[in-house]
């Protein structure tokens, strides 16, 4: 099954935002938008769901905190409670202040790194990954909106898109 | 224009009156002689027979330590018996000072707490000007109103300090010439810690802050009527100057007004620590008043993005406070040098719940409640977190002052709560009265348009 999409290219981000809103209103389905830089409010205009990355970071932070606390509780209190410079190693709470810097750092470490890895996984980014850019100009100064043709008429759609200010419209057979 | 509702005015006045009555009761019920204190001790002994047994055990414990030094044993034992004889009366005298200090310390803590909110608000205001913030100009009149309490609040502080200097109370041990005579440590500090210089410094800080506050407020009002930006530019320069003056005087103020109640103890980051406390309390009060006025329909251009920003400040500065609290605590706990660590030992032993409880109130609660971006836009969440932060920072100031002034005799009872009522009522009265004095939107501020359309 071959699907057809239209690539509409814009040269201005305000124009792009306008076009995205009009296209949504006309009930055409936007597959993807390629921009050289983050366009403020584009996700809202496209109606994308908010990210849950921050929630994952919070959970990872809690994991990091638990790892740090249980690690030091085992090493310093349970396994070999030595007297090191008179620090009280009888219970975890008594020696807690000395552990806090590590607990803090590991919380941040886990939250930051696992969140970044989650981001890479979810956005499918890795070294040697083949670039998905349909047009090299979208990394520099052009904006591209990919619209699903589905069972609309191509003629009608391209007229609509050129009315939204697209400078170029291409029909792509995927 | 804001009009002070008669309900709010009446509430504030009721708070002031009830607080004043409670404070007078606190002062009258403090014991005035050693005989009264001995009676109290006797009553407590009758009530708490078991706890008395514990103290007896503690006393027995001490000579046991002396036995480890056999060559001094005889001398030590002889000393001990004579000390024990004098112990009863010196204990009563000690307790008398503590109980007499109680209403004073309660007043002092509450007066400082509300004064520091006004001072912190002025610092926040100056930061907004100096940083040329584009989000906050719609809040300027609210912040200015909070700083209106600076003049009465700082004058009350000056009065309390002057009364201490005139020996009406024992809040500051170093002001007592009898104590200083036998205390070499304080003698060494008396070039700095002497009453005239102490009061002169206080007058300099208070005069400086109030002059800056007066000029900034005047410029803000003049700028509304002007057709040029000269007053605004002058405010920018004044704010930058104030921030320099503020950080020096605030630091010294914290040594003078707070750290010197423990004249044997010192900490280098204390000024910052007090700053964090006053800054976060001030931002919280600004947020609470903004939410209140918004709910009454007075702040047309304030939207939930402004609340979100204030809540972010509350969240961030709460964590900053915790960072400083922990840095101070952990460094002293870790090195455990006797001359420094007594400060925390008295707090952990005698003030366990307030000392560690405030970490929950000032850190854990705001951390968990205000972490979520959506919650920072929900008014009742911000109000709830704000109330907890304010209670937490009252306890923070309480923990700074009380252990040195009333020691083990602390209790949050009528004198403490009445003082909060009195100064809280006065604060609300002064601040909301100041809100009626000027339109709630700064008209011609160069950033006002940006601020009106601020969206995060």
């Amino acid at each position: 099954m071959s699907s057809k999409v239209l690539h509409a290219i814009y040269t201005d981000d305000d124009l792009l935002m306008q076009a995205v809103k009009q296209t949504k209103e006309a009930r055409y389905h936007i597959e993807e938008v390629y921009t050289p830089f983050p366009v403020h409010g584009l996700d809202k205009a496209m109606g994308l769901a908010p990210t849950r990355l921050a929630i994952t970071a919070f959970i990872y932070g809690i994991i990091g905190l638990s790892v740090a606390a249980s690690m030091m509780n085992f090493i310093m209190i349970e396994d070999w409670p030595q007297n090191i410079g008179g620090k009280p190693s009888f219970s975890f709470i008594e020696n807690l202040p000395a552990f806090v810097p590590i607990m803090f750092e590991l919380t941040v470490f886990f939250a930051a790194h696992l969140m970044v890895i989650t981001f890479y996984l979810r956005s499918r980014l890795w070294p040697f990954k083949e670039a998905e850019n349909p047009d090299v100009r979208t990394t520099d100064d052009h904006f591209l909106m990919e619209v699903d043709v589905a069972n609309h008429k191509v003629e009608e759609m391209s007229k609509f898109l050129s009315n939204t200010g697209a400078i170029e419209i291409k029909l792509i057979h995927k | 224009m804001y009009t002070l509702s008669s309900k709010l005015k009446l509430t504030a006045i009721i708070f002031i009156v009830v607080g004043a009555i409670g404070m007078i009761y606190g002062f009258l019920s403090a014991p005035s002689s050693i005989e009264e204190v001995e009676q109290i001790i006797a009553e407590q002994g009758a009530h708490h027979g078991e706890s008395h047994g514990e103290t007896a055990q503690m006393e027995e414990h001490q000579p046991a330590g002396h036995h480890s030094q056999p060559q001094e044993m005889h001398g030590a034992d002889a000393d001990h018996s004579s000390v024990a004889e004098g112990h009863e009366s010196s204990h009563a005298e000690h307790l008398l000072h503590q109980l007499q200090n109680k209403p004073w310390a309660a007043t002092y803590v509450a007066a400082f707490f509300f004064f520091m909110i006004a001072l912190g608000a002025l610092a926040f205001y100056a930061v907004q000007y100096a940083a040329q913030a584009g989000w906050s100009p719609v809040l300027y009149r609210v912040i200015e109103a909070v700083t209106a309490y600076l003049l009465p609040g700082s004058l009350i502080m000056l009065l309390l300090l002057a009364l201490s200097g005139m020996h009406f109370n024992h809040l500051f041990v170093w002001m007592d010439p009898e104590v200083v005579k036998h205390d070499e440590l304080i003698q060494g500090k008396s070039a700095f810690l002497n009453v005239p210089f102490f009061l002169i410094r206080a007058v300099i800080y208070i005069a400086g802050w109030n002059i800056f506050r007066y000029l900034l407020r005047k410029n803000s009002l003049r700028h509304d009527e002007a057709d040029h930006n000269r007053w605004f530019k002058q405010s920018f320069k004044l704010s930058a100057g104030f921030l320099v003056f503020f950080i020096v005087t605030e630091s010294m103020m914290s040594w003078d007004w707070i750290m010197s109640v423990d004249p044997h103890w010192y900490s280098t980051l204390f000024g910052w620590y007090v700053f964090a406390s006053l800054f976060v309390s001030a931002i919280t009060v600004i947020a609470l008043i903004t939410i209140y006025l918004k709910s009454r329909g007075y702040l047309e251009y304030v939207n939930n993005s402004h609340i979100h920003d204030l809540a972010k400040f509350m969240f961030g500065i709460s964590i900053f406070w915790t960072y400083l609290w922990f840095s101070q605590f952990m460094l002293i706990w870790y090195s455990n040098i006797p001359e420094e660590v007594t400060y925390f030992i008295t707090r952990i032993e005698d003030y366990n719940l307030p000392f560690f409880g405030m970490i929950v109130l000032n850190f854990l609660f705001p951390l968990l409640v205000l972490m979520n971006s959506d919650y920072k836009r929900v008014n009742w969440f911000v109000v709830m977190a704000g109330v907890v932060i304010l209670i937490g920072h009252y306890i923070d100031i309480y923990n700074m002052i009380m252990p040195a002034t009333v020691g083990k005799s602390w209790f949050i009872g009528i004198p403490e709560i009445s003082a909060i009522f009195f100064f809280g009522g006065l604060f609300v009265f002064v601040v909301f009265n100041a809100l009626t004095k000027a339109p709630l939107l700064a008209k011609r501020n160069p950033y006002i348009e940006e601020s009106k359309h601020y969206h995060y």
Side-chain angles (χ1 to χ4, degrees):
Chain A
M1 183 186 127
S2 78
S3 66
K4 283 184 281 184
V5 290
L6 276 177
H7 280 177
I9 293 183
Y10 302 85
T11 50
D12 186 277
D13 51 338
D14 287 336
L15 216 56
L16 174 80
M17 282 288 284
Q18 199 59 40
V20 166
K21 279 175 197 158
Q22 285 172 354
T23 314
K24 287 283 284 184
E25 233 162 74
R27 299 202 158 267
Y28 291 126
H29 179 243
I30 300 171
E31 286 273 287
E32 191 62 272
V33 176
Y34 297 89
T35 64
F37 53 78
V39 177
H40 200 76
L42 185 61
D43 54 337
K44 284 222 175 75
M46 287 173 69
L48 299 181
T51 173
R52 287 168 295 178
L53 213 50
I55 298 167
T56 66
F58 182 72
I59 294 165
Y60 296 147
I62 290 171
I63 294 171
L65 187 68
S66 325
V67 167
S70 46
M71 176 182 78
M72 282 178 299
N73 183 48
F74 177 71
I75 297 173
M76 303 300 288
I77 309 296
E78 283 173 12
D79 191 34
W80 197 348
Q82 294 181 92
N83 182 344
I84 304 168
K87 283 280 155 289
S89 50
F90 306 108
S91 72
F92 185 73
I93 197 83
E94 270 182 310
N95 213 351
L96 181 64
F99 301 151
V100 165
I102 298 149
M103 284 159 62
F104 170 75
E105 294 293 349
L106 278 183
T107 307
V108 174
F109 180 88
F110 272 63
H113 289 84
L114 292 180
M115 177 176 73
V116 167
I117 293 168
T118 309
F119 168 71
Y120 286 154
L121 291 175
R122 290 293 289 148
S123 52
R124 303 177 182 283
L125 277 176
W126 56 84
F128 312 113
K129 180 200 162 85
E130 209 174 312
E132 286 169 356
N133 265 44
D135 191 316
V136 284
R137 290 174 298 172
T138 60
T139 62
D140 183 19
D141 58 351
H142 283 61
F143 303 83
L144 190 150
M145 180 167 69
E146 185 178 288
V147 191
D148 197 4
V149 173
N151 41 16
H152 301 290
K153 287 197 185 91
V154 176
E155 277 300 300
E156 205 178 289
M157 256 181 98
S158 53
K159 195 175 274 174
F160 169 80
L161 287 173
S162 69
N163 279 342
T164 62
I167 55 154
E168 249 178 74
I169 297 162
K170 273 188 272 185
L171 181 66
I172 307 280
H173 295 272
K174 265 194 176 168
Chain B
M1 234 20 199
Y2 174 72
T3 44
L4 185 59
S5 70
S6 56
K7 233 190 219 169
L8 193 69
K9 199 172 172 179
L10 190 68
T11 315
I13 290 171
I14 288 171
F15 267 65
I16 294 173
V17 171
V18 170
I21 293 169
M23 280 161 74
I24 291 166
Y25 168 80
F27 279 104
L28 292 181
S29 62
S32 53
S33 66
I34 290 184
E35 285 75 40
E36 278 181 55
V37 174
E38 274 164 354
Q39 203 183 335
I40 292 171
I41 295 171
E43 274 173 28
Q44 277 179 345
H47 283 299
H48 311 284
E50 283 171 48
S51 70
H52 194 76
E54 268 172 44
T55 52
Q57 245 181 353
M58 291 267 278
E59 276 166 33
E60 275 168 35
H61 210 72
Q62 266 182 325
H66 285 285
H67 284 292
S68 58
Q69 297 155 303
Q71 71 272 32
E72 279 181 67
M73 202 183 86
H74 272 286
D77 266 6
D79 270 354
H80 183 78
S81 59
S82 69
V83 167
E85 267 171 39
H87 194 71
E88 287 286 297
S89 65
S90 80
H91 174 63
E93 199 189 322
H94 188 61
L95 199 63
L96 172 70
H97 282 313
Q98 289 187 343
L99 292 176
Q100 280 181 335
N101 266 342
K102 224 170 153 287
W104 283 100
T107 310
Y108 190 78
V109 170
F112 183 83
F113 177 71
F114 286 100
F115 149 78
M116 82 174 186
I117 290 172
L119 184 62
L122 186 59
F124 188 68
Y125 185 62
V127 167
Q128 300 304 310
Y129 259 107
Q132 307 194 9
W135 66 278
S136 53
V138 291
L139 305 173
Y140 278 3
R141 287 293 144 79
V142 176
I143 308 178
E144 282 166 20
V146 177
T147 63
Y149 184 73
L150 186 64
L151 184 63
S154 57
L155 289 180
I156 290 168
M157 283 304 292
L158 186 65
L159 177 71
L160 285 173
L161 298 174
L163 289 177
S164 297
M166 288 186 279
H167 307 295
F168 279 89
N169 55 52
H170 278 94
L171 287 183
F172 300 90
V173 215
W174 57 265
M175 285 177 176
D176 189 343
E178 276 300 305
V179 174
V180 178
K181 215 190 284 173
H182 304 290
D183 193 323
E184 273 189 59
L185 270 172
I186 300 180
Q187 281 167 24
K189 295 182 182 184
S190 59
F192 189 78
L193 289 182
N194 60 74
V195 175
F197 188 32
F198 177 81
L199 290 179
I200 290 169
R201 283 198 305 271
V203 168
I204 292 172
Y205 313 148
I206 288 168
W209 299 329
N210 280 299
I211 289 169
F212 274 111
R213 192 264 162 193
Y214 172 77
L215 291 175
L216 280 167
R217 166 75 166 181
K218 200 168 123 191
N219 273 354
S220 172
L221 295 181
R222 276 197 294 196
H223 186 73
D224 271 7
E225 310 301 328
D227 54 359
H228 51 75
N229 285 341
R230 201 190 315 146
W231 306 128
F232 179 79
K233 287 180 190 165
Q234 202 186 68
S235 284
F236 173 77
K237 288 176 194 158
L238 273 174
S239 301
F242 169 74
L243 288 172
V244 174
F245 178 78
F246 168 77
I247 205 61
V248 176
T249 49
E250 187 275 334
S251 199
M252 293 181 69
M253 174 270 280
S254 72
W255 309 336
D256 280 358
W257 298 2
I258 298 183
M259 202 157 75
S260 84
V261 294
D262 286 290
H264 286 185
W265 181 79
Y266 43 85
S267 164
T268 40
L269 61 68
F270 197 74
W272 278 108
Y273 173 57
V274 173
F275 165 75
S277 209
L278 68 86
F279 207 49
V280 71
S281 315
I283 294 165
T284 304
V285 167
I286 292 166
L288 293 181
I289 294 178
T290 305
I291 288 172
Y292 171 76
L293 290 175
K294 176 74 186 167
S295 74
R296 299 281 143 154
Y298 284 107
L299 297 170
E300 191 189 339
Y301 293 101
V302 172
N303 55 41
N304 59 10
S305 292
H306 295 103
I307 305 297
H308 188 158
D309 261 28
L310 284 169
K312 271 191 279 189
F313 264 107
M314 285 160 62
F315 175 74
I317 309 292
S318 282
I319 290 168
F320 177 63
W321 174 88
T322 316
Y323 165 64
L324 293 175
W325 174 83
F326 183 70
S327 301
Q328 179 170 276
F329 171 67
M330 194 263 235
L331 282 181
I332 289 173
W333 172 85
Y334 214 122
S335 59
N336 204 17
I337 300 170
E339 68 207 55
E340 288 177 350
V341 86
T342 47
Y343 185 82
F344 286 111
I345 286 177
T346 51
R347 276 158 184 78
I348 289 171
E349 284 182 355
D350 305 336
Y351 291 73
N352 202 291
L353 182 65
F355 186 66
F356 291 111
M358 79 176 173
I359 310 308
V360 177
L361 300 178
N362 290 342
F363 174 63
L364 270 185
F365 195 81
L367 179 86
L368 296 175
V369 170
L370 293 178
M371 175 127 46
N372 191 315
S373 191
D374 296 331
Y375 292 174
K376 287 196 273 268
R377 291 165 180 271
V378 182
N379 281 350
W380 68 269
F381 257 97
V382 179
V383 170
M384 182 174 64
V387 169
V388 170
I389 289 174
L390 287 180
I391 294 171
H393 284 280
Y394 172 79
I395 294 174
D396 186 21
I397 304 299
Y398 189 85
N399 278 329
M400 293 180 192
I401 300 290
M402 288 296 176
T405 50
V406 304
K408 283 181 194 172
S409 318
W410 71 277
F411 187 69
I412 299 190
I414 290 175
E416 287 79 10
I417 291 169
S418 306
I420 297 172
F421 272 31
F422 178 79
F423 289 105
L426 190 66
F427 182 85
V428 168
F429 186 77
V430 170
V431 168
F432 281 84
N433 206 35
L435 280 169
T436 62
K437 296 287 193 295
L440 286 179
L441 188 68
K443 255 183 255 162
R444 289 188 55 258
N445 190 299
Y447 297 100
I448 199 78
E449 282 306 316
E450 183 184 341
S451 181
K452 279 180 190 172
H453 301 112
Y454 176 70
H455 176 77
Y456 172 74

